[in-house]
Amino acid sequence: IFILILIIIAWANHRRYYFFECKIPSLYKKNSAHWQRLNFLIFFRNIYTSANIFDIMIYVKNCFSEVIFLNTQYICEMNGNFRTETDVFFSEKCSFRVGGKIGLCVFPSNEEELIYAVKKAEEYGEKYIVLGNMTNILPSDDTYDGTVIVTSEMQKMRFDGNFVFAEAGAPLTRLSLLSARQGLSGLEFAYGIPGSLGGAVYMNAGAYGGCMADVLTSVTAYDPKSGVVSDYTADECKFGYRNSRF
């Protein structure tokens, strides 16, 4: 990353100004593909008075507090393969309407794209987290300088006899409703739960005396540590109260 700092010294009314113009490849603005410009104006009372260096450092730090630096090549690869969003906040995405700025939001639409997104984040050493409908999280107000991989576009469902196959982003309420229309019972407890299937399995979500462990047959999951996609039976998921092996 090259940061170009142009210092312009101007005079007006016997006062001295330092004007810093920086060009940086960042996610500060809506279009992360372009170089963004940040302008900082530091005021000095006059030419003979020295500014407090600590005040200057604090001022510049505050100006950069919401600037998020991610690998440019990584961003280009993500933009070329998925729908992505920048300049967004957790408070715009999660149900509790809290949380700070997000570095990059990625929206894979199927299993292959999800695995690719995780692998790329691992490859470039970027911080990342995989989330679903964001209805049961309380993110910090601090800036998250990483990638949020959102499964909300992975909503495919398929019915086969007494079984339903669904992706991680499938809304739990919709899954419950469609299952009932197919004449299948067991997911009545899930109607009204605002989360997605992936999150429900992760925490063994439940209500009204029922939970995911009661109706789940198997789970297909990707382990980023081993790079292997595996199938787990309900017993292998090690479900507990709002808990699982995942």
Side-chain angles (χ1 to χ4, degrees):
I1 300 175
F2 295 93
I3 300 180
L4 175 63
I5 301 180
L6 176 63
I7 302 179
I8 302 175
I9 301 177
W11 292 85
N13 299 325
H14 302 291
R15 294 176 179 178
R16 188 175 186 179
Y17 296 82
Y18 277 60
F19 183 78
F20 293 76
E21 182 181 52
C22 309
K23 287 186 177 182
I24 57 176
S26 72
L27 298 180
Y28 188 69
K29 296 297 183 182
K30 290 184 178 180
N31 192 343
S32 62
H34 296 288
W35 289 67
Q36 307 300 334
R37 300 163 70 100
L38 298 179
N39 299 323
F40 305 106
L41 186 64
I42 299 179
F43 171 73
F44 294 87
R45 188 67 181 177
N46 57 59
I47 188 173
Y48 302 107
T49 304
S50 298
N52 187 319
I53 186 63
F54 296 104
D55 290 341
I56 296 175
M57 290 172 64
I58 292 173
Y59 179 86
V60 175
K61 176 181 181 297
N62 290 338
C63 289
F64 273 100
S65 62
E66 287 191 353
V67 180
I68 303 169
F69 295 93
L70 296 177
N71 185 293
T72 306
Q73 183 62 35
Y74 167 73
I75 297 171
C76 291
E77 289 203 37
M78 288 302 199
N79 286 339
N81 290 279
F82 315 101
R83 182 173 76 84
T84 62
E85 290 183 4
T86 60
D87 197 30
V88 293
F89 292 77
F90 273 113
S91 57
E92 301 169 354
K93 299 292 184 181
C94 77
S95 60
F96 288 107
R97 293 295 182 261
V98 297
K101 190 172 184 178
I102 301 172
L104 180 67
C105 266
V106 175
F107 299 87
S109 59
N110 54 52
E111 175 185 327
E112 291 74 21
E113 289 185 359
L114 173 61
I115 294 174
Y116 180 86
V118 172
K119 283 184 175 180
K120 282 301 173 182
E122 293 270 358
E123 177 184 332
Y124 283 93
E126 297 290 350
K127 182 165 62 175
Y128 71 94
I129 185 172
V130 180
L131 296 175
N133 212 30
M134 301 195 205
T135 55
N136 197 32
I137 63 170
L138 284 174
S140 168
D141 286 335
D142 294 335
T143 296
Y144 181 75
D145 56 344
T147 301
V148 176
I149 302 173
V150 186
T151 64
S152 60
E153 294 189 1
M154 297 174 58
Q155 299 189 15
K156 292 179 182 177
M157 302 179 201
R158 175 172 61 88
F159 291 90
D160 185 2
N162 292 333
F163 296 93
V164 55
F165 301 83
E167 292 182 324
L172 211 54
T173 294
R174 182 166 175 261
L175 182 62
S176 173
L177 182 60
L178 293 181
S179 297
R181 289 177 178 174
Q182 292 289 324
L184 302 178
S185 64
L187 275 174
E188 292 84 358
F189 74 88
Y191 188 84
I193 296 178
S196 59
L197 179 60
V201 172
Y202 180 86
M203 66 170 291
N204 189 21
Y208 309 113
C211 65
M212 295 305 298
D214 298 334
V215 296
L216 198 71
T217 300
S218 67
V219 175
T220 301
Y222 172 71
D223 183 358
K225 292 183 179 179
S226 64
V228 176
V229 177
S230 304
D231 292 325
Y232 300 90
T233 65
D235 290 338
E236 290 173 333
C237 290
K238 299 179 181 178
F239 287 119
Y241 181 75
R242 304 297 176 261
N243 191 27
S244 73
R245 70 175 296 162
F246 307 111

